[in-house]
């Protein structure tokens, strides 16, 4: 049974809606009220806000992993260099 908006879980986004949100996220990681209104045709504003929050969080986690890998490699290189001294 599909629940109506506001009565529980949100209806999952379609591929087209997800693609639209992804393209908007590439341009701006946050939305102003006018942008929310424009996107709110088929997506509840709250659902959009949560999607953007989650996407920002995933982006931050991925960037943290990349930074951590970089620092780990630098540390390994420095450790090897110090062993030769």
């Amino acid at each position: 049974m599909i629940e109506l908006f506001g009565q529980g879980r949100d209806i999952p986004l379609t591929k087209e809606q997800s693609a639209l949100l992804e393209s908007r996220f590439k341009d701006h990681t946050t939305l102003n009220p006018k942008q929310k209104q424009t996107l709110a045709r088929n997506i509840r504003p709250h659902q959009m806000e949560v999607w953007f929050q989650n996407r920002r969080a995933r982006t931050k986690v991925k960037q943290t992993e990349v930074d951590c890998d970089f620092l780990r490699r630098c540390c390994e290189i420095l450790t090897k260099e110090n062993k030769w001294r």
Side-chain angles (χ1 to χ4, degrees):
M1 178 176 148
I2 296 178
E3 296 179 12
L4 299 175
F5 286 134
Q7 294 183 349
R9 296 183 57 89
D10 290 324
I11 295 173
L13 298 173
T14 65
K15 289 181 182 180
E16 293 80 16
Q17 289 170 328
S18 292
L20 177 62
L21 291 175
E22 283 290 346
S23 70
R24 292 295 188 263
F25 186 82
K26 287 178 184 176
D27 296 336
H28 303 283
T29 58
T30 58
L31 294 175
N32 63 41
K34 187 175 180 179
Q35 291 168 323
K36 285 180 191 176
Q37 247 181 351
T38 303
L39 287 174
R41 293 181 198 134
N42 297 321
I43 306 169
R44 286 183 49 217
H46 178 72
Q47 188 175 11
M48 233 185 318
E49 290 169 4
V50 170
W51 186 93
F52 269 81
Q53 280 180 329
N54 290 340
R55 187 65 174 83
R56 284 192 300 270
R58 284 192 309 269
T59 300
K60 184 176 180 180
V61 167
K62 287 179 185 178
Q63 185 59 49
T64 301
E65 289 172 354
V66 168
D67 294 345
C68 185
D69 287 342
F70 175 75
L71 291 173
R72 188 178 295 118
R73 285 192 305 272
C74 288
C75 184
E76 289 170 359
I77 291 168
L78 290 172
T79 301
K80 287 178 184 178
E81 287 177 1
N82 286 332
K83 285 183 180 178
W84 293 104
R85 290 179 187 214

